[in-house]
Amino acid sequence: MDWQAITARIEAAVTPHIGTGKVADYIPALARIDPTKFGMAIVLGDGTMVTLGDSHEPFSIQSISKVFTLSLALKHYGENVWDRVGREPSGSAFNSIVQLENEKGIPRNPLINAGAIVVTDMLVARSGAQAFEAELLGRFHRLSGDDSIAVDEEVAESESATGSRNRALAHFMAAFGNMANPVEQSLGAYFRQCAVRMSCRQLARAALFLAFDGCDPINREQLVTRENCRRINAVMMSCGHYDNSGDFAYRIGLPGKSGVGGGILCIAPGHGAIAVWSPGLNASGTSMVGAIALEELVEATGWSVFV
Amino acid sequence: MDWQAITARIEAAVTPHIGTGKVADYIPALARIDPTKFGMAIVLGDGTMVTLGDSHEPFSIQSISKVFTLSLALKHYGENVWDRVGREPSGSAFNSIVQLENEKGIPRNPLINAGAIVVTDMLVARSGAQAFEAELLGRFHRLSGDDSIAVDEEVAESESATGSRNRALAHFMAAFGNMANPVEQSLGAYFRQCAVRMSCRQLARAALFLAFDGCDPINREQLVTRENCRRINAVMMSCGHYDNSGDFAYRIGLPGKSGVGGGILCIAPGHGAIAVWSPGLNASGTSMVGAIALEELVEATGWSVFV
Amino acid sequence: MDWQAITARIEAAVTPHIGTGKVADYIPALARIDPTKFGMAIVLGDGTMVTLGDSHEPFSIQSISKVFTLSLALKHYGENVWDRVGREPSGSAFNSIVQLENEKGIPRNPLINAGAIVVTDMLVARSGAQAFEAELLGRFHRLSGDDSIAVDEEVAESESATGSRNRALAHFMAAFGNMANPVEQSLGAYFRQCAVRMSCRQLARAALFLAFDGCDPINREQLVTRENCRRINAVMMSCGHYDNSGDFAYRIGLPGKSGVGGGILCIAPGHGAIAVWSPGLNASGTSMVGAIALEELVEATGWSVFV
Amino acid sequence: MDWQAITARIEAAVTPHIGTGKVADYIPALARIDPTKFGMAIVLGDGTMVTLGDSHEPFSIQSISKVFTLSLALKHYGENVWDRVGREPSGSAFNSIVQLENEKGIPRNPLINAGAIVVTDMLVARSGAQAFEAELLGRFHRLSGDDSIAVDEEVAESESATGSRNRALAHFMAAFGNMANPVEQSLGAYFRQCAVRMSCRQLARAALFLAFDGCDPINREQLVTRENCRRINAVMMSCGHYDNSGDFAYRIGLPGKSGVGGGILCIAPGHGAIAVWSPGLNASGTSMVGAIALEELVEATGWSVFV
C-alpha cells in the first residue's frame, strides 16, 4: 500500500466537508468541542500506524465503548449473553423504548443503549462496578501502552445528570426482570464507560485484536476466541450505527461502531483497525466527516468485506 | 481446499437435522414438497462445482429472486433506486406494513416484500412486465447455461390467489405515490419472478458474479459495476433474512438471501457462490438445515467475511 | 327552549370563524366546495326543526354514513358484528393500518375506515351490494321524506379512483380472513355509501331515532332495538372522531360522527338530533366551525350527557 | 325507584360470577385479598345510600384516585393542565410507553399511569408532596365524613418497591422535559395516592359532586366548576378503563374509572355516584363482577347517558 498517496487522497476528500454535521450538545463537555477537528489512525497487523490530523488528541469514545464491553461479556459469559440481549438490528434510534415494550424487556442488540446497559449490568453483577471498570481500562492501558487512559469525570457526571432516557430504559428492563443490579449501580458503570477519553491512535490500537481473530497481533494476547471475534464483527456490521447501520454497510462495508463524541471505530478483518474522529454528526449520530474518510479509505484499499 | 472432507463434514452436520423446521404451506405447490430434501452447490471462480444431495433438483426460488431484481434495477437506475426504497434492515417480518405507514410508503430495503415490489415496479415501468421477465430469465439462461429455467405457472397463480397481504402493501405504497404502474401489473410481475424454479447448481452459478466484483468469472460478463456488486452484498448482509438478518450474520458471516421455498443463496466474496436448499423453515422463514450447512461450510473454509 | 336566542347565540359564535380550517381536497368534488358554507339543523322529538344557514343544501355525508351502516349491521347481525370488528377507540388516524397488523386484521371499531369496510362487507355478503344500498337509501327516503337522496356518482367514482389506502386496508384484512366478498365488491359499496349527499335537515331527521331509544318518534318505526341504540351512541362517543374523539367528548359531550365533507352528526339522547355542516376541517378531519356551533349549542341547552 | 327490587336484581346477576377474574398479585397486600368479596354503594343526590354486600369494607382505590387528582389539578391549574397531558383515549394498556415515545413525552390522558404521574407532578410542584396529600385526604374526610381514610403504608411501600415500570414512564417523560420535580419525589406522591383505602360507601360519597355539576349536593361545597365537572366525566368516559374504555361505554354507558384493587367508580349525571368492588379483574384490569353489577344497575335504572 502506498500510504502516503492514500492519506493524501483521504485528506483531499474530507477537507471540503470539515465542520459539517451537528456537534452533540446535550452535555457541555461535548458541546464545546471544536467542530473542525479531524483525526484518523490506521493500525496494521505489524504495528504500522498510519495517521492523519488530530490523531493523538483524546476524545470521548461514548458508544464505541459498547464494543469493548461486549467483548468482555462474551469472554466471561459466552453464549449466555444472548439470553438477555438479542443480536438483530433495531431499525430504530439509539435510545428507542418502543421495541423494548414489544419484546418484553429484551433489547435488540448490545450496541444500542438498552443493550449496552444490560451487558454492563452483567459485568457489574459478576465482579462489581469498580472491577469491571478496572478490567476495561486495564485492557486499554495494556493494548495502547498508555496508562493515562481514563474516565472523564466531568463527562461521566454530565451523562448521569442528563441520563433520564437511559434511566427510563433501565427501569423498563428492570420491570421485565432484565436487570440484575439496582438500576443506578449499573447505570453508573454504563455512564462511566461511555466517558472514557482516548485518541484515534489509542482506540485503533486497542481494537486491533478484532481484525486478527481475537488475538492482538503485537503482544499476542488472545482477548476473545476466534469465534467470538467473528461474531463481534458481525454484530458491529449489523447494528453498529443504529438506524444508519444498513447505510454504513452499503457505503463502507466494514464492521464499525460510532459514538456521539464523533468517533468511529472500524475493523478491516485481516488488515487492521481504524479509528477516525470528527465531531459533526449526521441525523443518526454518526460522524459525517469520519464516514467520508472511511469511504475513501475503503475505496483506496479495497478493504470492504463485500468486494 | 479438501472439498471431499468438507462435503463429508457438512453432510455429517446436517444429517441429524434433515426434516426439521416447518415447510411453507400457504400454497399447495410448496406445501407438498418432500421435507427431507437437501441440496447444496458451491461454485468457485474457476467454475469448479462442489455439490451435495439434491443439488440438481429445481425448487421455487421465491424471495431469492429479489437479489437478481435488485441487480437489474441498479444496472438500469443506478443510485436513483434509493429514491423509492431504503437500505436499512427493517427489524420486522417480511410482510410487515407498520414501517410503511411510519415512513410514508418508502420500504426499508429491497429485500423485504414491499421493497421488492417497488423495485419490480421500477423495472416494469421501464420496459414492461414481459421485457423485465425476459431480461431476468435471459440472465439465468445465459449464466446457468440452461434455457429451460422458467416461471412455475402453478406457483405464480397461487401466489397471486393468496397475495392479499402483498396487495395491501402495494396499494398502501400507491397511496403514498410510490407505485408507477397499476398495482396488479407490477404485482403480477413480482409474483412471477418469485415463482421461478431453479436448482442449487443453477442458482449458485447464476450468482457467481456477485462474488467477483460484478463480473462473471467464467463468461466474463460484467453484470453490475464493481461498486454496485459490493453494495448488493452489503444489502444482503444487512437485510437478507428479514428479522433474522443479524442472527444470520452472526452465525454465518456471509451475505445471503433466503426464500420460503427453502433455498438460501450465499456469496463468499473472492471465493464463490453457494446455494443450499432444504424446505423446513425457522420462524423467520430461513431454511433450518440450509443454515446449518452454511454454518459448517464457513467453519470449514474460513470464508466468513468477519474473520 | 328559546330557540331564537339559541340560534342567535350560535350564529354569533361561529361568524368570526367561518372559512377557517382546511377543506378536503383529495377529490375534486370536495375541493371545489365553498369554504364559507355553514348550515345546521336541530330536530326535536316532536318534529320541531330549528335551522341555521345553509341547512337545506346537500353535502357529501362521507364517514357519517358509517353510523347508519352500523345500525343496519346491528339490526341484521346483532352481537355477531363484534366478531369481526372491535369497539375500542383506535388512538390513531382514520386510515391507519398499524393497528390492523398488531391485532390480526380486526379493526378497532366500526367508525374508522377499516371497521366500516368490514361492516359494509357483512351487509354486502348478506344481500348483495345493490340490496344493501337500497336498504340504506330507503331508510333515508322514508325518514327524511325525500326520495331524491342519492349517491353522488362523481364523488363515488373519485373515491374509488383515489382509494389506494382503503384498498390496502381491505386487502390487509382479507389476508387475515376478515373479508367475506372480493375486495373490490365491498369497497365499491363502501365508496358509494360515503358519497351519499344529504342536507343538514335530512341528516338530522334521518338520525332522530338514535335520540329516542332506536324508535323514530315521528313515524314510530323502530329502527334498532333500544339496547343497540344505546350502544351505537356509546360507540359514537368513544370513536366518532378518530384520534380527536376524546377532545370532542371533552368539549361537546354528545355522541357524534364527523365526515370529511364537513358534516357532523350529533345525538342528544332524549332531546333530538343535530346535523351541522361547514367544510373547513381540523387536523383530525372534524369540521372546525361545526364543532364550535355544537359547543355553543350544548352550552346553551345543557344537553351534554355529562352534566 | 324500587331500590329493593333493583338490589335484588343486581345480587341475582352477580352471584353466579363471584370469584371470577384474576386478583392483582404484583404486591402481597393485593394478592391476599379474598377474591369472593363484593360490595356496592349507590349514593343519590339527597344523600340516600343504597348498598350491597361488603360496601363498608375498605379496599385499595388504586387508579380510581386519578379522578380525584385530576379534579384537584383542574381546580388549581385550569386549562393549563392540558399543556402537559392529552385527553384522548390511548388505545393501549395502562402502563404502555410506546405512545410516549411517539408523542414526545406527553401522555395521552390523565387516567393512564403516565398521565396521572404528570398530574401528580403538577400538584407536587405547586405545594409539595405533603400538602398535596393533605388536600386530597382532606376532601375525602370532609365529603365522606370519616377522618380515618388514609394511605395504606404497606401498599404504598410495595408500590414503590415494584414500581419499575412507573419509574421508566416518569424518567422517560423527564427526558422530554415533562417532569417538574425530581422523579422520585413525584412518584412517591403518586404511589401514596394509589394506596389510599376507602370503602364503597366512602368512595361513592366522595365522588357525588361529579354527578351534580361539581357541587356536592349534601354539603354544598363546589369542588370543581360546572364546566370542569362535565369535562372530568367526559375524560372518564373516553379513557377510564385503558384499552377497555370503549367496551365499558358500550356495556354500561356511564363515566367510570377502574382500579386494580377491584374497585370501579361510576358517575350517573343528575342521579348519583356508584362505587362497586370485587377483586377479580378482566384482562384490562377492570373488576369483572363489578362491571356486571353496573351493567345490571344501568339496565334497571335506565341511567345510561346514551338512552
Side-chain angles (χ1 to χ4, degrees):
Chain A
M1 295 274 173
D2 176 353
W3 285 107
Q4 206 161 355
I6 293 172
T7 53
R9 184 172 164 179
I10 294 171
E11 208 146 299
V14 302
T15 301
H17 300 283
I18 292 289
T20 55
K22 193 179 166 333
V23 176
D25 58 3
Y26 67 101
I27 59 173
L30 294 183
R32 67 175 175 249
I33 301 291
D34 175 355
T36 66
K37 289 287 180 183
F38 168 72
M40 191 171 190
I42 303 148
V43 198
L44 309 181
D46 63 1
T48 304
M49 171 84 70
V50 180
T51 62
L52 285 94
D54 307 307
S55 66
H56 44 79
E57 185 162 331
F59 60 90
S60 194
I61 66 169
Q62 294 289 326
S63 293
I64 300 173
S65 62
K66 291 168 182 170
V67 174
F68 297 97
T69 313
L70 173 61
S71 77
L72 287 181
L74 282 170
K75 181 184 157 200
H76 293 309
Y77 285 94
E79 290 295 290
N80 294 332
V81 166
W82 310 113
D83 297 342
R84 294 182 53 194
V85 62
R87 53 201 185 216
E88 291 298 330
S90 67
S92 45
F94 68 97
N95 57 6
S96 173
I97 206 162
V98 170
Q99 172 268 331
L100 274 187
E101 179 158 323
N102 294 337
E103 296 171 19
K104 308 208 172 302
I106 305 295
R108 268 291 169 95
N109 67 65
L111 302 184
I112 52 174
N113 290 15
I117 291 168
V118 160
V119 170
T120 303
D121 181 64
M122 285 181 207
L123 293 166
V124 168
R126 187 179 159 273
S127 57
Q130 285 189 318
F132 154 62
E133 185 172 314
E135 187 176 10
L136 183 68
L137 290 178
R139 282 195 167 190
F140 290 150
H141 296 168
R142 226 156 50 238
L143 293 167
S144 309
D146 181 348
D147 287 0
S148 73
I149 294 170
V151 171
D152 181 322
E153 298 292 338
E154 182 201 342
V155 171
E157 270 169 52
S158 293
E159 297 286 353
S160 182
T162 63
S164 291
R165 194 134 175 175
N166 286 319
R167 271 188 186 84
L169 293 169
H171 283 293
F172 204 71
M173 295 189 290
F176 285 102
N178 200 13
M179 290 293 286
N181 308 288
V183 158
E184 285 299 325
Q185 195 180 333
S186 294
L187 272 183
Y190 171 76
F191 290 137
R192 289 184 64 78
Q193 85 189 44
C194 291
V196 168
R197 278 165 61 84
M198 294 172 81
S199 69
C200 287
R201 288 164 191 259
Q202 293 166 339
L203 193 54
R205 181 63 192 80
L208 192 58
F209 71 100
L210 289 172
F212 293 97
D213 286 348
C215 178
D216 186 88
I218 318 291
N219 76 8
R220 295 285 145 201
E221 183 177 352
Q222 186 83 34
L223 289 123
V224 289
T225 64
R226 181 176 160 281
E227 208 161 39
N228 279 334
C229 175
R230 204 174 75 196
R231 289 162 169 180
I232 292 168
N233 286 333
V235 174
M236 289 172 82
M237 180 67 88
S238 298
C239 319
H241 308 272
Y242 314 117
D243 48 352
N244 202 33
S245 299
D247 191 61
F248 194 88
Y250 180 90
R251 287 173 57 196
I252 287 150
L254 292 178
K257 181 73 203 85
S258 59
V260 290
I264 308 176
L265 173 66
C266 260
I267 304 301
H271 300 293
I274 309 108
V276 61
W277 171 57
S278 183
L281 308 175
N282 72 8
S284 300
T286 300
S287 168
M288 287 190 72
V289 170
I292 291 167
L294 288 164
E295 219 171 354
E296 201 63 29
L297 173 73
V298 165
E299 197 58 48
T301 56
W303 279 358
S304 162
V305 303
F306 298 123
V307 173
Chain B
M1 294 275 174
D2 177 353
W3 284 107
Q4 207 163 356
I6 291 172
T7 54
R9 182 172 164 180
I10 293 172
E11 209 146 298
V14 302
T15 301
H17 300 282
I18 292 288
T20 55
K22 195 178 164 334
V23 177
D25 58 3
Y26 68 101
I27 60 173
L30 294 183
R32 65 176 175 250
I33 302 290
D34 176 355
T36 66
K37 289 287 179 183
F38 169 72
M40 190 170 190
I42 304 147
V43 199
L44 307 182
D46 62 2
T48 304
M49 172 83 70
V50 181
T51 63
L52 286 94
D54 308 307
S55 65
H56 45 79
E57 186 163 332
F59 60 90
S60 194
I61 66 168
Q62 293 290 325
S63 293
I64 300 173
S65 62
K66 292 168 180 168
V67 174
F68 297 97
T69 314
L70 173 61
S71 75
L72 287 182
L74 283 170
K75 180 184 158 201
H76 293 309
Y77 286 93
E79 290 295 290
N80 295 331
V81 167
W82 310 112
D83 296 341
R84 294 182 54 194
V85 60
R87 52 202 187 216
E88 291 299 329
S90 68
S92 45
F94 66 99
N95 57 5
S96 174
I97 205 162
V98 170
Q99 171 268 329
L100 274 187
E101 179 158 324
N102 295 336
E103 294 170 21
K104 308 210 173 302
I106 303 295
R108 268 292 168 94
N109 66 64
L111 302 184
I112 53 174
N113 291 15
I117 292 168
V118 159
V119 170
T120 303
D121 182 64
M122 283 181 209
L123 293 166
V124 169
R126 187 179 160 273
S127 57
Q130 285 189 318
F132 154 61
E133 186 172 312
E135 186 176 10
L136 183 69
L137 290 178
R139 281 195 167 190
F140 289 151
H141 296 167
R142 226 156 50 237
L143 293 168
S144 309
D146 181 349
D147 286 0
S148 73
I149 293 170
V151 171
D152 181 322
E153 299 291 337
E154 183 202 342
V155 171
E157 272 170 49
S158 293
E159 296 287 353
S160 182
T162 61
S164 292
R165 194 135 174 175
N166 286 319
R167 271 188 187 84
L169 294 169
H171 283 292
F172 204 71
M173 294 189 292
F176 284 103
N178 200 13
M179 290 293 286
N181 308 289
V183 158
E184 285 299 325
Q185 194 179 334
S186 294
L187 272 183
Y190 171 76
F191 289 138
R192 288 183 66 78
Q193 84 188 46
C194 290
V196 168
R197 277 164 61 84
M198 293 172 81
S199 68
C200 287
R201 289 164 190 258
Q202 293 167 339
L203 192 54
R205 181 64 192 78
L208 192 59
F209 71 99
L210 290 171
F212 294 96
D213 286 348
C215 179
D216 187 88
I218 318 292
N219 75 8
R220 294 287 146 200
E221 183 178 352
Q222 185 84 31
L223 290 123
V224 289
T225 63
R226 183 176 159 280
E227 208 161 40
N228 279 333
C229 175
R230 204 175 75 195
R231 288 163 169 180
I232 292 168
N233 287 332
V235 175
M236 290 172 81
M237 180 67 88
S238 298
C239 318
H241 309 271
Y242 313 116
D243 48 351
N244 202 33
S245 299
D247 191 60
F248 194 88
Y250 179 90
R251 286 172 58 196
I252 287 149
L254 291 179
K257 181 73 202 84
S258 58
V260 290
I264 308 176
L265 173 67
C266 261
I267 304 301
H271 301 291
I274 308 109
V276 61
W277 172 56
S278 183
L281 308 175
N282 72 8
S284 300
T286 300
S287 170
M288 288 190 72
V289 169
I292 291 166
L294 288 165
E295 219 172 354
E296 201 65 28
L297 173 74
V298 165
E299 198 57 50
T301 57
W303 280 358
S304 163
V305 303
F306 298 123
V307 174
Chain C
M1 296 272 174
D2 177 354
W3 284 108
Q4 208 163 356
I6 292 172
T7 54
R9 183 172 164 180
I10 294 171
E11 208 147 298
V14 301
T15 301
H17 300 283
I18 292 289
T20 55
K22 193 179 165 332
V23 177
D25 58 4
Y26 67 101
I27 59 174
L30 294 183
R32 66 175 175 250
I33 301 291
D34 175 356
T36 66
K37 289 286 180 185
F38 169 72
M40 190 170 190
I42 304 148
V43 198
L44 308 183
D46 62 0
T48 305
M49 172 86 67
V50 181
T51 62
L52 286 94
D54 308 306
S55 66
H56 44 79
E57 185 162 333
F59 59 90
S60 194
I61 66 169
Q62 293 290 325
S63 293
I64 300 173
S65 62
K66 292 169 181 169
V67 174
F68 296 97
T69 312
L70 173 61
S71 76
L72 287 181
L74 283 170
K75 182 185 157 200
H76 294 309
Y77 286 94
E79 290 295 291
N80 295 331
V81 167
W82 310 114
D83 297 341
R84 293 182 52 194
V85 61
R87 53 203 186 214
E88 291 299 330
S90 67
S92 44
F94 67 99
N95 58 5
S96 173
I97 205 163
V98 169
Q99 171 269 330
L100 274 187
E101 178 158 325
N102 295 336
E103 294 171 21
K104 309 209 173 300
I106 304 295
R108 269 290 168 97
N109 66 66
L111 302 184
I112 52 174
N113 291 16
I117 291 169
V118 160
V119 170
T120 303
D121 182 63
M122 283 181 209
L123 293 166
V124 169
R126 187 180 159 273
S127 58
Q130 285 190 318
F132 154 62
E133 186 172 314
E135 187 176 11
L136 183 69
L137 290 177
R139 281 195 166 192
F140 289 151
H141 297 167
R142 227 158 48 240
L143 293 168
S144 309
D146 181 348
D147 286 0
S148 73
I149 294 170
V151 170
D152 182 322
E153 299 292 338
E154 182 202 342
V155 171
E157 270 169 51
S158 293
E159 296 287 352
S160 182
T162 61
S164 292
R165 193 132 174 179
N166 286 319
R167 271 187 186 84
L169 293 169
H171 283 292
F172 203 71
M173 294 189 292
F176 285 103
N178 200 14
M179 290 293 286
N181 307 289
V183 158
E184 285 299 325
Q185 195 179 332
S186 293
L187 272 183
Y190 171 75
F191 289 138
R192 287 183 66 78
Q193 84 188 44
C194 290
V196 169
R197 277 164 62 84
M198 294 172 81
S199 69
C200 288
R201 288 163 191 258
Q202 294 168 337
L203 192 55
R205 181 63 192 79
L208 192 59
F209 71 99
L210 290 171
F212 293 96
D213 287 346
C215 178
D216 186 88
I218 317 292
N219 75 8
R220 294 287 148 199
E221 183 177 353
Q222 185 83 35
L223 290 124
V224 289
T225 64
R226 183 178 160 279
E227 209 161 37
N228 279 333
C229 176
R230 205 175 73 197
R231 288 162 169 180
I232 292 167
N233 286 332
V235 175
M236 289 172 81
M237 180 67 89
S238 298
C239 319
H241 309 272
Y242 314 116
D243 48 352
N244 202 32
S245 299
D247 190 61
F248 194 88
Y250 179 90
R251 287 173 57 196
I252 287 148
L254 291 179
K257 181 73 202 86
S258 59
V260 290
I264 308 177
L265 173 67
C266 260
I267 304 301
H271 301 292
I274 308 109
V276 62
W277 171 56
S278 183
L281 308 175
N282 71 9
S284 301
T286 300
S287 169
M288 288 191 71
V289 170
I292 291 166
L294 288 164
E295 218 172 356
E296 201 63 28
L297 173 73
V298 165
E299 197 59 48
T301 56
W303 280 357
S304 162
V305 303
F306 297 124
V307 173
Chain D
M1 295 273 174
D2 177 353
W3 284 108
Q4 207 162 357
I6 291 172
T7 54
R9 183 173 165 180
I10 294 171
E11 207 146 299
V14 301
T15 302
H17 300 282
I18 292 287
T20 55
K22 193 178 165 334
V23 176
D25 58 3
Y26 67 100
I27 59 173
L30 294 183
R32 67 176 175 249
I33 301 290
D34 176 356
T36 67
K37 289 287 180 184
F38 168 72
M40 190 170 190
I42 303 148
V43 199
L44 308 182
D46 63 1
T48 304
M49 172 85 69
V50 181
T51 62
L52 285 93
D54 309 305
S55 66
H56 44 80
E57 185 162 332
F59 60 90
S60 194
I61 66 169
Q62 294 288 325
S63 293
I64 300 173
S65 62
K66 292 168 181 169
V67 174
F68 297 96
T69 313
L70 173 61
S71 76
L72 287 181
L74 282 170
K75 181 184 157 199
H76 294 308
Y77 286 93
E79 291 294 290
N80 295 331
V81 166
W82 310 113
D83 298 340
R84 293 183 52 194
V85 61
R87 53 203 186 214
E88 292 298 330
S90 67
S92 46
F94 68 98
N95 57 6
S96 173
I97 206 163
V98 169
Q99 172 268 329
L100 274 188
E101 178 158 325
N102 295 336
E103 294 171 20
K104 309 211 173 298
I106 304 294
R108 269 290 169 97
N109 67 66
L111 301 184
I112 52 173
N113 291 16
I117 291 168
V118 160
V119 171
T120 303
D121 181 64
M122 284 181 208
L123 293 166
V124 168
R126 188 180 159 273
S127 57
Q130 285 189 319
F132 155 60
E133 186 172 315
E135 186 175 10
L136 183 69
L137 290 177
R139 282 195 165 191
F140 289 151
H141 297 168
R142 226 156 49 238
L143 293 167
S144 309
D146 181 348
D147 287 0
S148 73
I149 293 171
V151 171
D152 181 322
E153 299 290 340
E154 182 202 342
V155 171
E157 270 169 50
S158 294
E159 296 286 352
S160 181
T162 62
S164 292
R165 195 133 173 177
N166 286 319
R167 271 188 186 84
L169 294 169
H171 283 292
F172 204 70
M173 295 189 291
F176 284 102
N178 201 13
M179 291 292 287
N181 307 290
V183 158
E184 285 300 326
Q185 195 179 332
S186 294
L187 272 183
Y190 171 76
F191 289 137
R192 288 183 65 79
Q193 85 189 44
C194 290
V196 168
R197 277 165 62 83
M198 294 172 81
S199 69
C200 287
R201 290 163 189 260
Q202 294 167 338
L203 192 55
R205 180 64 192 79
L208 192 57
F209 71 100
L210 290 172
F212 294 97
D213 286 347
C215 178
D216 187 89
I218 317 293
N219 76 8
R220 295 287 147 199
E221 183 177 351
Q222 186 83 34
L223 290 124
V224 288
T225 64
R226 182 176 160 279
E227 207 161 40
N228 279 333
C229 176
R230 204 175 73 195
R231 289 162 169 181
I232 293 169
N233 286 332
V235 175
M236 289 172 82
M237 180 67 88
S238 299
C239 319
H241 309 272
Y242 314 117
D243 48 352
N244 202 33
S245 299
D247 191 61
F248 194 88
Y250 180 90
R251 287 172 58 195
I252 287 148
L254 291 178
K257 180 73 203 85
S258 59
V260 290
I264 308 176
L265 173 67
C266 260
I267 304 302
H271 301 292
I274 309 109
V276 61
W277 171 57
S278 183
L281 308 175
N282 71 8
S284 300
T286 300
S287 169
M288 287 190 73
V289 170
I292 291 166
L294 289 164
E295 218 171 356
E296 202 63 27
L297 173 74
V298 165
E299 198 58 49
T301 56
W303 280 358
S304 163
V305 302
F306 298 123
V307 173

